[in-house]
Amino acid sequence: MPDQYFDLGDLPLASGHVLPGARLAYQTAGTLNDSRSNAVLLPHMYSGTADFMHAFIGEGRPLDPRRYFFVLPAQLGSGTSSSPSTTPPPYDRGAFPPVAISDDVRAQHRLLTDHLGISRLAMVSGWSMGGQQTLEWAVRYPDLVERAVPFAATLRNPDHCTVFCQLHTDALRSDPAWNGGFYERASDVHVGLRRHAQAFALMGASSHMYRQEAWRELGFTSRDGFVQGFLQAYFLPMDPNDLLCQAHKWATSDVSADHGGDLDAAAARITARVTDVAFTGDLFFPPEDVRADAERIPGARYEEIGSVWGHFTMFNLREADTAQIDAVYAEALAS
């Protein structure tokens, strides 16, 4: 799908910096009804783009474009919205200012209200960093969100997940060609990108996936072939600075940042009907962390999807995984 763009102008950031000439890329699917009441926002995950979220939309499925109008925003740092790789000097590459999840959500709010004329969302939903954005939406704009369905995300990034973010960002920076983020071509940092992919090979799926050799279902004949042919192939085309920008947002995500660090006070602001979804074996956002959040959020319902793919369940690598995700959406939208 082709991207559309909304000009944000000079965007004040949570860090105190200002990003000049900021732009938000987005895509849409379906038709907004006359009452403007059928809008659904689908923010994407780390390393993704708006394109990825079309995987959950389809006629005859719960996210049916004949029934809903979908807005798919690209997060800042994604390479399509304002990013280190697309911003001119002096804010380019390694000099791109730090961005927060709250900056994404405030930009998306402007897109919806100022540009698309939408003042109410039937649902916000995303996976991983998309889930972090979903929770930020529910806390920051409670009057706008009717339903919130975060998959594999928490109100505050867990400490062990932050340590992982430090690992995979250090892997990127370890490349001899890194040059403080001022490399000439992203492909020059291929050693760092391969190390980064190796970190995700360790944490993205569960140990059961390796034990069962589920990578064979994808056509690979060895574990190392899976790591190279799936994960390295996925990350190698990406820009390291863009990944680092996103990783900083992931690691520092915290809905209580504007509430004195009081997570209970932040969660108490949520009025949306929340379905908090965890993946069995997820090493980034373990089910026990997601369940604890669901107990903190007023009226939230906890769901757990079982798959050997752990955090990667949302990649729809098995038909059974897609069916479970669709079932969650069907139940959430029926309430």
Side-chain angles (χ1 to χ4, degrees):
M1 292 287 292
D3 288 320
Q4 303 176 63
Y5 293 90
F6 174 56
D7 289 329
L8 296 161
D10 293 347
L11 180 66
L13 302 174
S15 62
H17 294 262
V18 174
L19 181 61
R23 293 206 307 170
L24 187 66
Y26 69 99
Q27 298 177 13
T28 63
T31 304
L32 189 63
N33 61 17
D34 292 340
S35 62
R36 297 180 177 271
S37 61
N38 68 333
V40 172
L41 186 74
L42 299 176
H44 66 78
M45 75 297 193
Y46 175 80
S47 76
T49 64
D51 284 330
F52 179 85
M53 300 308 293
H54 286 280
F56 306 102
I57 300 171
E59 293 188 2
R61 299 176 66 186
L63 302 190
D64 194 325
R66 298 171 301 183
R67 182 178 181 187
Y68 297 103
F69 175 65
F70 299 99
V71 181
L72 290 62
Q75 63 170 292
L76 298 167
S78 64
T80 50
S81 292
S82 289
S83 304
S85 65
T86 62
T87 300
Y91 301 97
D92 61 318
R93 297 179 290 176
F96 194 79
V99 185
I101 290 288
S102 60
D103 297 321
D104 283 308
V105 170
R106 287 187 296 106
Q108 293 163 13
H109 179 264
R110 286 180 54 190
L111 167 69
L112 292 172
T113 58
D114 297 349
H115 186 57
L116 299 176
I118 296 169
S119 58
R120 182 73 173 169
L121 288 166
M123 184 175 71
V124 183
S125 180
W127 160 51
S128 197
M129 282 190 72
Q132 290 177 325
Q133 293 168 69
T134 297
L135 291 164
E136 180 72 26
W137 258 100
V139 170
R140 184 169 291 270
Y141 301 113
D143 295 339
L144 271 69
V145 181
E146 186 174 349
R147 301 173 185 84
V149 186
F151 287 83
T154 50
L155 293 164
R156 175 186 290 149
N157 201 54
D159 283 345
H160 70 277
C161 194
T162 299
V163 171
F164 172 72
C165 289
Q166 292 168 346
L167 170 66
H168 72 75
T169 54
D170 284 349
L172 282 171
R173 295 188 181 99
S174 71
D175 193 307
W178 168 244
N179 194 32
F182 289 92
Y183 45 84
E184 290 298 320
R185 295 171 299 276
S187 59
D188 292 343
V189 195
H190 67 93
V191 172
L193 286 164
R194 291 176 193 276
R195 291 170 178 167
H196 173 272
Q198 190 74 25
F200 276 84
L202 173 67
M203 294 284 287
S206 71
S207 60
H208 300 288
M209 189 281 291
Y210 287 101
R211 192 174 302 117
Q212 295 179 21
E213 298 187 349
W215 36 261
R216 293 188 183 276
E217 299 171 14
L218 307 182
F220 297 104
T221 58
S222 70
R223 178 200 63 218
D224 292 344
F226 161 70
V227 172
Q228 185 173 18
F230 184 82
L231 288 157
Q232 290 185 14
Y234 176 73
F235 283 113
L236 278 170
M238 299 182 188
D239 184 89
N241 277 317
D242 290 351
L243 291 172
L244 288 167
C245 174
Q246 295 172 64
H248 172 78
K249 291 189 292 181
W250 170 3
T252 58
S253 178
D254 183 352
V255 300
S256 72
D258 290 337
H259 303 278
D262 189 332
L263 209 56
D264 288 324
R269 287 177 50 82
I270 298 175
T271 58
R273 295 194 290 278
V274 176
T275 304
D276 221 348
V277 188
F279 297 138
T280 303
D282 190 336
L283 299 175
F284 297 156
F285 299 96
E288 56 266 32
D289 288 352
V290 177
R291 184 188 291 274
D293 274 0
E295 293 172 353
R296 178 177 272 119
I297 297 170
R301 183 167 57 88
Y302 173 78
E303 293 280 351
E304 187 170 325
I305 292 176
S307 173
V308 298
W309 284 104
H311 194 71
F312 286 168
T313 297
M314 209 81 171
F315 271 122
N316 295 304
L317 299 173
R318 284 179 165 176
E319 290 184 5
D321 295 346
T322 303
Q324 289 184 87
I325 293 164
D326 277 0
V328 168
Y329 277 135
E331 187 171 358
L333 288 166
S335 64

